[in-house]
Amino acid sequence: MARALSLIAYAAFSSRPEAPVRQMLTKLQRAGTITDEALNQRLAQNAPPRPLGNLIWFNAGSEHAIAPCFELFRRLREDRPDLRGIITTTYQSLVPHDVPKGLLFMQAPEDRLTIVRRFLTHWDPDCLIWVGGGFRPALIEKAQSRGIPTVSIDAPESTHSLALNKIIPGLKTATMCLFEHVFAANITQSIAWQRAGLNSENIEVMGYLGEGATVPQFDESELEALSEDIGTRPVWFAANIGPAEIRDVVRAHKVALRRAHRLLLIVSAQGAETVRQLQAHCTNQGLTSALRADNKAASDAVQVLIVNAGAEDGLWYRLAPVTFLGQSITDGGGCDPYPAAIFGSAIIHGPNVSYFSSRYARFDAANAARLVTCGDTLGQAVSEVSAPDYAANMASAAWEICSEGAEMTDRVASLAHDILDLREEMLA
């Protein structure tokens, strides 16, 4: 296929010297707008060594594309434990706190040919999977010219846009045609790719990638033993609370106890000091508490069972039909809602969930989670959500969100494995 005139015109622009770009970024760095690390990434300089073996390259064109990229990489690593990857973003983004092991997170290089060549020469990826918009024409075209297989995947709230200020008629269409395979979210998006000139045989309509989550493990025998200890008592779980949430959670339990006198609160906290404060506050409020670490049974006399955060989260999500996800009433960024949802526990959370804002927005919109603001509203929510029908409806809605995109993720993972297998055969 002949090269599009718009790409030829853009190549003339992107082949100009990189000095003005370097000066612009240096000015931003000196002003504190970007970090030294971001400057180096955008100039494709001073990069860490390329890992040995297969390297897959993801690009996230929007915030909503990051979590699906993470999930896809985790899925690929299940069958390829030695796989390494990089994920670039074509918008300014802070490094997420949950980047998977083996994946490097960085900003995409500026779309100047000298910078692009430096990036591709150093990383030499085996495959490019571009999720969402924010296309960089020079970057994608040079990847294609180096024989790097290119795949595009539509992402929520992300259009087929260019990450450029310069407008060249026809450039977006020509850039879309550079991809070899496309996963469109729906028929409308599929038509947009076809109008751009992509062969319909190279377009699959499968929805969006799933975001997924790391599912915590637990001991089935422990679940059986705890279930026997607790018996028919109603239970709720406050997960990973911070010191500033102790009063709210204890207050909520006292409110909920008015309606369910045998209600058991299981609460997890990080750090010995937080556990000590929690136990002391329970005593001050007239509540009987016990430490899981002391191997105390959850007898009827125990109103609050205090456990360590993280170690057995799966056990508590599985045991409790209702979970409050901590670090969210205070400004802690929140906890990932997916593990609780996967185990079928109805979710309650506070307003400060910036680490997982897009996930919580989906859960809230589907009535799969309940938003609270303080101890009183938390206690009322625990009482209401604990009703079996209410909890079941929330858990069902949450499970539907968790399962969305699973088939799509499997299909993309299969294609990526095929690409990597073929690359290995060619290099053998």
mmCIF file with all atom_site columns, all heavy atoms in Angstrom, residues 5 9 40 71 105 110 125 141 144 154 174 200 223 237 239 248 266 290 296 305 307 318 348 351 397 422:
data_model
loop_
_atom_site.group_PDB
_atom_site.id
_atom_site.type_symbol
_atom_site.label_atom_id
_atom_site.label_alt_id
_atom_site.label_comp_id
_atom_site.label_asym_id
_atom_site.label_entity_id
_atom_site.label_seq_id
_atom_site.pdbx_PDB_ins_code
_atom_site.Cartn_x
_atom_site.Cartn_y
_atom_site.Cartn_z
_atom_site.occupancy
_atom_site.B_iso_or_equiv
_atom_site.pdbx_formal_charge
_atom_site.auth_seq_id
_atom_site.auth_comp_id
_atom_site.auth_asym_id
_atom_site.auth_atom_id
_atom_site.pdbx_PDB_model_num
ATOM 1   N N   . LEU A 1 5   ? -0.127  10.537  1.981  1.00 0.00 ? 5   LEU A N   1
ATOM 2   C CA  . LEU A 1 5   ? 0.497   11.859  1.893  1.00 0.00 ? 5   LEU A CA  1
ATOM 3   C C   . LEU A 1 5   ? 0.567   12.538  3.256  1.00 0.00 ? 5   LEU A C   1
ATOM 4   O O   . LEU A 1 5   ? 1.520   13.267  3.546  1.00 0.00 ? 5   LEU A O   1
ATOM 5   C CB  . LEU A 1 5   ? -0.295  12.733  0.913  1.00 0.00 ? 5   LEU A CB  1
ATOM 6   C CG  . LEU A 1 5   ? -0.212  12.344  -0.570 1.00 0.00 ? 5   LEU A CG  1
ATOM 7   C CD1 . LEU A 1 5   ? -1.134  13.233  -1.402 1.00 0.00 ? 5   LEU A CD1 1
ATOM 8   C CD2 . LEU A 1 5   ? 1.228   12.481  -1.062 1.00 0.00 ? 5   LEU A CD2 1
ATOM 9   N N   . ALA A 1 9   ? 3.824   14.123  4.971  1.00 0.00 ? 9   ALA A N   1
ATOM 10  C CA  . ALA A 1 9   ? 3.888   15.498  5.472  1.00 0.00 ? 9   ALA A CA  1
ATOM 11  C C   . ALA A 1 9   ? 4.287   15.526  6.938  1.00 0.00 ? 9   ALA A C   1
ATOM 12  O O   . ALA A 1 9   ? 5.099   16.362  7.360  1.00 0.00 ? 9   ALA A O   1
ATOM 13  C CB  . ALA A 1 9   ? 2.534   16.175  5.279  1.00 0.00 ? 9   ALA A CB  1
ATOM 14  N N   . ASN A 1 40  ? 13.890  12.375  30.933 1.00 0.00 ? 40  ASN A N   1
ATOM 15  C CA  . ASN A 1 40  ? 14.682  11.331  30.287 1.00 0.00 ? 40  ASN A CA  1
ATOM 16  C C   . ASN A 1 40  ? 13.808  10.369  29.490 1.00 0.00 ? 40  ASN A C   1
ATOM 17  O O   . ASN A 1 40  ? 14.180  9.934   28.392 1.00 0.00 ? 40  ASN A O   1
ATOM 18  C CB  . ASN A 1 40  ? 15.479  10.554  31.342 1.00 0.00 ? 40  ASN A CB  1
ATOM 19  C CG  . ASN A 1 40  ? 16.668  11.331  31.853 1.00 0.00 ? 40  ASN A CG  1
ATOM 20  O OD1 . ASN A 1 40  ? 17.287  12.099  31.117 1.00 0.00 ? 40  ASN A OD1 1
ATOM 21  N ND2 . ASN A 1 40  ? 16.996  11.154  33.127 1.00 0.00 ? 40  ASN A ND2 1
ATOM 22  N N   . GLU A 1 71  ? -3.760  -5.924  33.678 1.00 0.00 ? 71  GLU A N   1
ATOM 23  C CA  . GLU A 1 71  ? -4.398  -7.237  33.739 1.00 0.00 ? 71  GLU A CA  1
ATOM 24  C C   . GLU A 1 71  ? -3.937  -8.126  32.587 1.00 0.00 ? 71  GLU A C   1
ATOM 25  O O   . GLU A 1 71  ? -3.671  -9.320  32.781 1.00 0.00 ? 71  GLU A O   1
ATOM 26  C CB  . GLU A 1 71  ? -5.917  -7.086  33.716 1.00 0.00 ? 71  GLU A CB  1
ATOM 27  C CG  . GLU A 1 71  ? -6.698  -8.378  33.551 1.00 0.00 ? 71  GLU A CG  1
ATOM 28  C CD  . GLU A 1 71  ? -6.497  -9.364  34.692 1.00 0.00 ? 71  GLU A CD  1
ATOM 29  O OE1 . GLU A 1 71  ? -5.875  -9.011  35.712 1.00 0.00 ? 71  GLU A OE1 1
ATOM 30  O OE2 . GLU A 1 71  ? -6.955  -10.513 34.551 1.00 0.00 ? 71  GLU A OE2 1
ATOM 31  N N   . PHE A 1 105 ? 6.972   1.181   33.926 1.00 0.00 ? 105 PHE A N   1
ATOM 32  C CA  . PHE A 1 105 ? 5.996   2.227   33.605 1.00 0.00 ? 105 PHE A CA  1
ATOM 33  C C   . PHE A 1 105 ? 6.747   3.506   33.271 1.00 0.00 ? 105 PHE A C   1
ATOM 34  O O   . PHE A 1 105 ? 7.619   3.939   34.024 1.00 0.00 ? 105 PHE A O   1
ATOM 35  C CB  . PHE A 1 105 ? 5.074   2.455   34.808 1.00 0.00 ? 105 PHE A CB  1
ATOM 36  C CG  . PHE A 1 105 ? 3.886   3.327   34.535 1.00 0.00 ? 105 PHE A CG  1
ATOM 37  C CD1 . PHE A 1 105 ? 2.667   2.771   34.189 1.00 0.00 ? 105 PHE A CD1 1
ATOM 38  C CD2 . PHE A 1 105 ? 3.989   4.711   34.607 1.00 0.00 ? 105 PHE A CD2 1
ATOM 39  C CE1 . PHE A 1 105 ? 1.561   3.574   33.950 1.00 0.00 ? 105 PHE A CE1 1
ATOM 40  C CE2 . PHE A 1 105 ? 2.895   5.519   34.368 1.00 0.00 ? 105 PHE A CE2 1
ATOM 41  C CZ  . PHE A 1 105 ? 1.672   4.952   34.029 1.00 0.00 ? 105 PHE A CZ  1
ATOM 42  N N   . GLU A 1 110 ? 8.810   11.581  22.932 1.00 0.00 ? 110 GLU A N   1
ATOM 43  C CA  . GLU A 1 110 ? 8.283   12.617  22.050 1.00 0.00 ? 110 GLU A CA  1
ATOM 44  C C   . GLU A 1 110 ? 8.332   12.146  20.603 1.00 0.00 ? 110 GLU A C   1
ATOM 45  O O   . GLU A 1 110 ? 9.192   11.345  20.227 1.00 0.00 ? 110 GLU A O   1
ATOM 46  C CB  . GLU A 1 110 ? 9.097   13.910  22.217 1.00 0.00 ? 110 GLU A CB  1
ATOM 47  C CG  . GLU A 1 110 ? 8.951   14.560  23.579 1.00 0.00 ? 110 GLU A CG  1
ATOM 48  C CD  . GLU A 1 110 ? 7.552   15.080  23.828 1.00 0.00 ? 110 GLU A CD  1
ATOM 49  O OE1 . GLU A 1 110 ? 6.986   15.744  22.930 1.00 0.00 ? 110 GLU A OE1 1
ATOM 50  O OE2 . GLU A 1 110 ? 7.013   14.822  24.919 1.00 0.00 ? 110 GLU A OE2 1
ATOM 51  N N   . PRO A 1 125 ? 11.168  -3.869  21.156 1.00 0.00 ? 125 PRO A N   1
ATOM 52  C CA  . PRO A 1 125 ? 10.057  -4.717  21.635 1.00 0.00 ? 125 PRO A CA  1
ATOM 53  C C   . PRO A 1 125 ? 9.642   -5.757  20.601 1.00 0.00 ? 125 PRO A C   1
ATOM 54  O O   . PRO A 1 125 ? 9.863   -5.591  19.396 1.00 0.00 ? 125 PRO A O   1
ATOM 55  C CB  . PRO A 1 125 ? 8.938   -3.701  21.880 1.00 0.00 ? 125 PRO A CB  1
ATOM 56  C CG  . PRO A 1 125 ? 9.246   -2.578  20.948 1.00 0.00 ? 125 PRO A CG  1
ATOM 57  C CD  . PRO A 1 125 ? 10.736  -2.497  20.868 1.00 0.00 ? 125 PRO A CD  1
ATOM 58  N N   . GLU A 1 141 ? 4.442   4.392   13.192 1.00 0.00 ? 141 GLU A N   1
ATOM 59  C CA  . GLU A 1 141 ? 4.944   4.061   11.846 1.00 0.00 ? 141 GLU A CA  1
ATOM 60  C C   . GLU A 1 141 ? 6.344   3.461   11.911 1.00 0.00 ? 141 GLU A C   1
ATOM 61  O O   . GLU A 1 141 ? 6.653   2.497   11.203 1.00 0.00 ? 141 GLU A O   1
ATOM 62  C CB  . GLU A 1 141 ? 4.949   5.297   10.947 1.00 0.00 ? 141 GLU A CB  1
ATOM 63  C CG  . GLU A 1 141 ? 5.332   4.954   9.510  1.00 0.00 ? 141 GLU A CG  1
ATOM 64  C CD  . GLU A 1 141 ? 5.270   6.153   8.568  1.00 0.00 ? 141 GLU A CD  1
ATOM 65  O OE1 . GLU A 1 141 ? 5.538   7.273   9.026  1.00 0.00 ? 141 GLU A OE1 1
ATOM 66  O OE2 . GLU A 1 141 ? 4.962   5.942   7.385  1.00 0.00 ? 141 GLU A OE2 1
ATOM 67  N N   . GLN A 1 144 ? 6.190   -0.083  13.068 1.00 0.00 ? 144 GLN A N   1
ATOM 68  C CA  . GLN A 1 144 ? 5.767   -0.953  11.980 1.00 0.00 ? 144 GLN A CA  1
ATOM 69  C C   . GLN A 1 144 ? 6.907   -1.202  10.997 1.00 0.00 ? 144 GLN A C   1
ATOM 70  O O   . GLN A 1 144 ? 7.128   -2.332  10.542 1.00 0.00 ? 144 GLN A O   1
ATOM 71  C CB  . GLN A 1 144 ? 4.569   -0.345  11.248 1.00 0.00 ? 144 GLN A CB  1
ATOM 72  C CG  . GLN A 1 144 ? 3.980   -1.262  10.189 1.00 0.00 ? 144 GLN A CG  1
ATOM 73  C CD  . GLN A 1 144 ? 3.122   -0.503  9.196  1.00 0.00 ? 144 GLN A CD  1
ATOM 74  O OE1 . GLN A 1 144 ? 3.596   0.445   8.568  1.00 0.00 ? 144 GLN A OE1 1
ATOM 75  N NE2 . GLN A 1 144 ? 1.875   -0.916  9.059  1.00 0.00 ? 144 GLN A NE2 1
ATOM 76  N N   . ASP A 1 154 ? -9.554  -0.695  21.599 1.00 0.00 ? 154 ASP A N   1
ATOM 77  C CA  . ASP A 1 154 ? -10.359 0.419   22.099 1.00 0.00 ? 154 ASP A CA  1
ATOM 78  C C   . ASP A 1 154 ? -10.461 0.357   23.613 1.00 0.00 ? 154 ASP A C   1
ATOM 79  O O   . ASP A 1 154 ? -10.490 -0.725  24.206 1.00 0.00 ? 154 ASP A O   1
ATOM 80  C CB  . ASP A 1 154 ? -11.767 0.382   21.493 1.00 0.00 ? 154 ASP A CB  1
ATOM 81  C CG  . ASP A 1 154 ? -11.793 0.746   20.020 1.00 0.00 ? 154 ASP A CG  1
ATOM 82  O OD1 . ASP A 1 154 ? -10.847 1.418   19.557 1.00 0.00 ? 154 ASP A OD1 1
ATOM 83  O OD2 . ASP A 1 154 ? -12.754 0.356   19.327 1.00 0.00 ? 154 ASP A OD2 1
ATOM 84  N N   . ALA A 1 174 ? -4.767  7.915   8.492  1.00 0.00 ? 174 ALA A N   1
ATOM 85  C CA  . ALA A 1 174 ? -3.565  7.204   8.035  1.00 0.00 ? 174 ALA A CA  1
ATOM 86  C C   . ALA A 1 174 ? -2.879  6.487   9.188  1.00 0.00 ? 174 ALA A C   1
ATOM 87  O O   . ALA A 1 174 ? -2.353  5.378   9.025  1.00 0.00 ? 174 ALA A O   1
ATOM 88  C CB  . ALA A 1 174 ? -2.602  8.195   7.380  1.00 0.00 ? 174 ALA A CB  1
ATOM 89  N N   . SER A 1 200 ? -11.722 -5.262  7.100  1.00 0.00 ? 200 SER A N   1
ATOM 90  C CA  . SER A 1 200 ? -12.643 -5.780  8.118  1.00 0.00 ? 200 SER A CA  1
ATOM 91  C C   . SER A 1 200 ? -12.182 -7.121  8.685  1.00 0.00 ? 200 SER A C   1
ATOM 92  O O   . SER A 1 200 ? -12.530 -7.484  9.808  1.00 0.00 ? 200 SER A O   1
ATOM 93  C CB  . SER A 1 200 ? -14.052 -5.925  7.532  1.00 0.00 ? 200 SER A CB  1
ATOM 94  O OG  . SER A 1 200 ? -14.047 -6.811  6.428  1.00 0.00 ? 200 SER A OG  1
ATOM 95  N N   . LEU A 1 223 ? -11.232 -21.411 56.661 1.00 0.00 ? 223 LEU A N   1
ATOM 96  C CA  . LEU A 1 223 ? -12.587 -20.910 56.426 1.00 0.00 ? 223 LEU A CA  1
ATOM 97  C C   . LEU A 1 223 ? -13.612 -21.795 57.121 1.00 0.00 ? 223 LEU A C   1
ATOM 98  O O   . LEU A 1 223 ? -14.547 -21.302 57.768 1.00 0.00 ? 223 LEU A O   1
ATOM 99  C CB  . LEU A 1 223 ? -12.870 -20.847 54.916 1.00 0.00 ? 223 LEU A CB  1
ATOM 100 C CG  . LEU A 1 223 ? -14.280 -20.433 54.510 1.00 0.00 ? 223 LEU A CG  1
ATOM 101 C CD1 . LEU A 1 223 ? -14.585 -19.018 54.974 1.00 0.00 ? 223 LEU A CD1 1
ATOM 102 C CD2 . LEU A 1 223 ? -14.464 -20.544 52.992 1.00 0.00 ? 223 LEU A CD2 1
ATOM 103 N N   . PHE A 1 237 ? -16.880 -6.955  57.437 1.00 0.00 ? 237 PHE A N   1
ATOM 104 C CA  . PHE A 1 237 ? -15.428 -6.827  57.411 1.00 0.00 ? 237 PHE A CA  1
ATOM 105 C C   . PHE A 1 237 ? -15.047 -5.393  57.061 1.00 0.00 ? 237 PHE A C   1
ATOM 106 O O   . PHE A 1 237 ? -15.545 -4.835  56.079 1.00 0.00 ? 237 PHE A O   1
ATOM 107 C CB  . PHE A 1 237 ? -14.857 -7.804  56.376 1.00 0.00 ? 237 PHE A CB  1
ATOM 108 C CG  . PHE A 1 237 ? -13.368 -7.732  56.163 1.00 0.00 ? 237 PHE A CG  1
ATOM 109 C CD1 . PHE A 1 237 ? -12.487 -7.499  57.219 1.00 0.00 ? 237 PHE A CD1 1
ATOM 110 C CD2 . PHE A 1 237 ? -12.832 -7.936  54.894 1.00 0.00 ? 237 PHE A CD2 1
ATOM 111 C CE1 . PHE A 1 237 ? -11.109 -7.449  57.008 1.00 0.00 ? 237 PHE A CE1 1
ATOM 112 C CE2 . PHE A 1 237 ? -11.461 -7.902  54.677 1.00 0.00 ? 237 PHE A CE2 1
ATOM 113 C CZ  . PHE A 1 237 ? -10.590 -7.645  55.732 1.00 0.00 ? 237 PHE A CZ  1
ATOM 114 N N   . ALA A 1 239 ? -11.845 -3.535  55.861 1.00 0.00 ? 239 ALA A N   1
ATOM 115 C CA  . ALA A 1 239 ? -10.556 -3.948  55.313 1.00 0.00 ? 239 ALA A CA  1
ATOM 116 C C   . ALA A 1 239 ? -9.542  -2.813  55.264 1.00 0.00 ? 239 ALA A C   1
ATOM 117 O O   . ALA A 1 239 ? -9.831  -1.728  54.758 1.00 0.00 ? 239 ALA A O   1
ATOM 118 C CB  . ALA A 1 239 ? -10.760 -4.504  53.898 1.00 0.00 ? 239 ALA A CB  1
ATOM 119 N N   . ASP A 1 248 ? -14.331 6.042   63.118 1.00 0.00 ? 248 ASP A N   1
ATOM 120 C CA  . ASP A 1 248 ? -15.488 5.860   62.228 1.00 0.00 ? 248 ASP A CA  1
ATOM 121 C C   . ASP A 1 248 ? -15.939 4.408   62.190 1.00 0.00 ? 248 ASP A C   1
ATOM 122 O O   . ASP A 1 248 ? -17.145 4.115   62.222 1.00 0.00 ? 248 ASP A O   1
ATOM 123 C CB  . ASP A 1 248 ? -15.130 6.327   60.813 1.00 0.00 ? 248 ASP A CB  1
ATOM 124 C CG  . ASP A 1 248 ? -15.081 7.835   60.692 1.00 0.00 ? 248 ASP A CG  1
ATOM 125 O OD1 . ASP A 1 248 ? -16.048 8.497   61.091 1.00 0.00 ? 248 ASP A OD1 1
ATOM 126 O OD2 . ASP A 1 248 ? -14.069 8.369   60.198 1.00 0.00 ? 248 ASP A OD2 1
ATOM 127 N N   . ILE A 1 266 ? -15.068 -7.918  61.802 1.00 0.00 ? 266 ILE A N   1
ATOM 128 C CA  . ILE A 1 266 ? -13.682 -8.318  61.559 1.00 0.00 ? 266 ILE A CA  1
ATOM 129 C C   . ILE A 1 266 ? -13.002 -7.114  60.913 1.00 0.00 ? 266 ILE A C   1
ATOM 130 O O   . ILE A 1 266 ? -13.493 -6.587  59.910 1.00 0.00 ? 266 ILE A O   1
ATOM 131 C CB  . ILE A 1 266 ? -13.602 -9.541  60.626 1.00 0.00 ? 266 ILE A CB  1
ATOM 132 C CG1 . ILE A 1 266 ? -14.324 -10.730 61.251 1.00 0.00 ? 266 ILE A CG1 1
ATOM 133 C CG2 . ILE A 1 266 ? -12.146 -9.892  60.320 1.00 0.00 ? 266 ILE A CG2 1
ATOM 134 C CD1 . ILE A 1 266 ? -14.452 -11.930 60.329 1.00 0.00 ? 266 ILE A CD1 1
ATOM 135 N N   . ALA A 1 290 ? -10.667 -9.073  70.192 1.00 0.00 ? 290 ALA A N   1
ATOM 136 C CA  . ALA A 1 290 ? -9.678  -10.144 70.265 1.00 0.00 ? 290 ALA A CA  1
ATOM 137 C C   . ALA A 1 290 ? -8.752  -10.025 69.069 1.00 0.00 ? 290 ALA A C   1
ATOM 138 O O   . ALA A 1 290 ? -9.150  -9.530  68.001 1.00 0.00 ? 290 ALA A O   1
ATOM 139 C CB  . ALA A 1 290 ? -10.355 -11.513 70.283 1.00 0.00 ? 290 ALA A CB  1
ATOM 140 N N   . LYS A 1 296 ? -7.213  -16.381 69.200 1.00 0.00 ? 296 LYS A N   1
ATOM 141 C CA  . LYS A 1 296 ? -8.465  -16.393 69.970 1.00 0.00 ? 296 LYS A CA  1
ATOM 142 C C   . LYS A 1 296 ? -9.629  -16.799 69.063 1.00 0.00 ? 296 LYS A C   1
ATOM 143 O O   . LYS A 1 296 ? -9.727  -16.353 67.916 1.00 0.00 ? 296 LYS A O   1
ATOM 144 C CB  . LYS A 1 296 ? -8.727  -14.999 70.548 1.00 0.00 ? 296 LYS A CB  1
ATOM 145 C CG  . LYS A 1 296 ? -7.734  -14.561 71.607 1.00 0.00 ? 296 LYS A CG  1
ATOM 146 C CD  . LYS A 1 296 ? -7.924  -15.352 72.892 1.00 0.00 ? 296 LYS A CD  1
ATOM 147 C CE  . LYS A 1 296 ? -7.001  -14.847 73.985 1.00 0.00 ? 296 LYS A CE  1
ATOM 148 N NZ  . LYS A 1 296 ? -7.315  -13.475 74.418 1.00 0.00 ? 296 LYS A NZ  1
ATOM 149 N N   . LEU A 1 305 ? -13.063 -8.704  65.978 1.00 0.00 ? 305 LEU A N   1
ATOM 150 C CA  . LEU A 1 305 ? -11.896 -9.538  65.748 1.00 0.00 ? 305 LEU A CA  1
ATOM 151 C C   . LEU A 1 305 ? -10.900 -8.736  64.911 1.00 0.00 ? 305 LEU A C   1
ATOM 152 O O   . LEU A 1 305 ? -11.212 -8.341  63.782 1.00 0.00 ? 305 LEU A O   1
ATOM 153 C CB  . LEU A 1 305 ? -12.280 -10.831 65.026 1.00 0.00 ? 305 LEU A CB  1
ATOM 154 C CG  . LEU A 1 305 ? -11.127 -11.807 64.716 1.00 0.00 ? 305 LEU A CG  1
ATOM 155 C CD1 . LEU A 1 305 ? -10.495 -12.318 66.015 1.00 0.00 ? 305 LEU A CD1 1
ATOM 156 C CD2 . LEU A 1 305 ? -11.621 -12.964 63.862 1.00 0.00 ? 305 LEU A CD2 1
ATOM 157 N N   . VAL A 1 307 ? -7.508  -8.330  62.815 1.00 0.00 ? 307 VAL A N   1
ATOM 158 C CA  . VAL A 1 307 ? -6.603  -9.163  62.010 1.00 0.00 ? 307 VAL A CA  1
ATOM 159 C C   . VAL A 1 307 ? -5.595  -8.275  61.298 1.00 0.00 ? 307 VAL A C   1
ATOM 160 O O   . VAL A 1 307 ? -5.790  -7.060  61.167 1.00 0.00 ? 307 VAL A O   1
ATOM 161 C CB  . VAL A 1 307 ? -7.391  -10.013 60.995 1.00 0.00 ? 307 VAL A CB  1
ATOM 162 C CG1 . VAL A 1 307 ? -8.436  -10.867 61.700 1.00 0.00 ? 307 VAL A CG1 1
ATOM 163 C CG2 . VAL A 1 307 ? -8.069  -9.139  59.942 1.00 0.00 ? 307 VAL A CG2 1
ATOM 164 N N   . ARG A 1 318 ? -14.349 -13.712 51.810 1.00 0.00 ? 318 ARG A N   1
ATOM 165 C CA  . ARG A 1 318 ? -15.182 -14.905 51.591 1.00 0.00 ? 318 ARG A CA  1
ATOM 166 C C   . ARG A 1 318 ? -16.147 -15.114 52.751 1.00 0.00 ? 318 ARG A C   1
ATOM 167 O O   . ARG A 1 318 ? -17.290 -15.542 52.558 1.00 0.00 ? 318 ARG A O   1
ATOM 168 C CB  . ARG A 1 318 ? -14.272 -16.126 51.438 1.00 0.00 ? 318 ARG A CB  1
ATOM 169 C CG  . ARG A 1 318 ? -14.993 -17.437 51.195 1.00 0.00 ? 318 ARG A CG  1
ATOM 170 C CD  . ARG A 1 318 ? -15.669 -17.461 49.834 1.00 0.00 ? 318 ARG A CD  1
ATOM 171 N NE  . ARG A 1 318 ? -16.355 -18.717 49.629 1.00 0.00 ? 318 ARG A NE  1
ATOM 172 C CZ  . ARG A 1 318 ? -17.555 -19.012 50.125 1.00 0.00 ? 318 ARG A CZ  1
ATOM 173 N NH1 . ARG A 1 318 ? -18.214 -18.123 50.852 1.00 0.00 ? 318 ARG A NH1 1
ATOM 174 N NH2 . ARG A 1 318 ? -18.103 -20.188 49.901 1.00 0.00 ? 318 ARG A NH2 1
ATOM 175 N N   . ILE A 1 348 ? -18.853 -1.427  50.555 1.00 0.00 ? 348 ILE A N   1
ATOM 176 C CA  . ILE A 1 348 ? -19.123 -0.083  51.059 1.00 0.00 ? 348 ILE A CA  1
ATOM 177 C C   . ILE A 1 348 ? -17.783 0.653   51.057 1.00 0.00 ? 348 ILE A C   1
ATOM 178 O O   . ILE A 1 348 ? -16.743 0.070   51.378 1.00 0.00 ? 348 ILE A O   1
ATOM 179 C CB  . ILE A 1 348 ? -19.707 -0.118  52.491 1.00 0.00 ? 348 ILE A CB  1
ATOM 180 C CG1 . ILE A 1 348 ? -20.986 -0.962  52.525 1.00 0.00 ? 348 ILE A CG1 1
ATOM 181 C CG2 . ILE A 1 348 ? -19.994 1.288   52.998 1.00 0.00 ? 348 ILE A CG2 1
ATOM 182 C CD1 . ILE A 1 348 ? -21.525 -1.201  53.934 1.00 0.00 ? 348 ILE A CD1 1
ATOM 183 N N   . PRO A 1 351 ? -15.409 8.370   50.170 1.00 0.00 ? 351 PRO A N   1
ATOM 184 C CA  . PRO A 1 351 ? -15.283 9.160   48.936 1.00 0.00 ? 351 PRO A CA  1
ATOM 185 C C   . PRO A 1 351 ? -13.856 9.280   48.398 1.00 0.00 ? 351 PRO A C   1
ATOM 186 O O   . PRO A 1 351 ? -13.675 9.650   47.233 1.00 0.00 ? 351 PRO A O   1
ATOM 187 C CB  . PRO A 1 351 ? -15.799 10.544  49.373 1.00 0.00 ? 351 PRO A CB  1
ATOM 188 C CG  . PRO A 1 351 ? -15.473 10.610  50.840 1.00 0.00 ? 351 PRO A CG  1
ATOM 189 C CD  . PRO A 1 351 ? -15.635 9.213   51.364 1.00 0.00 ? 351 PRO A CD  1
ATOM 190 N N   . ALA A 1 397 ? -24.302 -7.614  40.967 1.00 0.00 ? 397 ALA A N   1
ATOM 191 C CA  . ALA A 1 397 ? -23.953 -6.509  40.072 1.00 0.00 ? 397 ALA A CA  1
ATOM 192 C C   . ALA A 1 397 ? -22.443 -6.322  40.009 1.00 0.00 ? 397 ALA A C   1
ATOM 193 O O   . ALA A 1 397 ? -21.875 -6.053  38.936 1.00 0.00 ? 397 ALA A O   1
ATOM 194 C CB  . ALA A 1 397 ? -24.623 -5.220  40.554 1.00 0.00 ? 397 ALA A CB  1
ATOM 195 N N   . LEU A 1 422 ? 5.734   -16.735 17.249 1.00 0.00 ? 422 LEU A N   1
ATOM 196 C CA  . LEU A 1 422 ? 6.251   -16.555 15.891 1.00 0.00 ? 422 LEU A CA  1
ATOM 197 C C   . LEU A 1 422 ? 7.580   -15.800 15.918 1.00 0.00 ? 422 LEU A C   1
ATOM 198 O O   . LEU A 1 422 ? 8.509   -16.145 15.169 1.00 0.00 ? 422 LEU A O   1
ATOM 199 C CB  . LEU A 1 422 ? 5.220   -15.798 15.046 1.00 0.00 ? 422 LEU A CB  1
ATOM 200 C CG  . LEU A 1 422 ? 5.571   -15.597 13.566 1.00 0.00 ? 422 LEU A CG  1
ATOM 201 C CD1 . LEU A 1 422 ? 5.785   -16.952 12.871 1.00 0.00 ? 422 LEU A CD1 1
ATOM 202 C CD2 . LEU A 1 422 ? 4.472   -14.816 12.854 1.00 0.00 ? 422 LEU A CD2 1
#
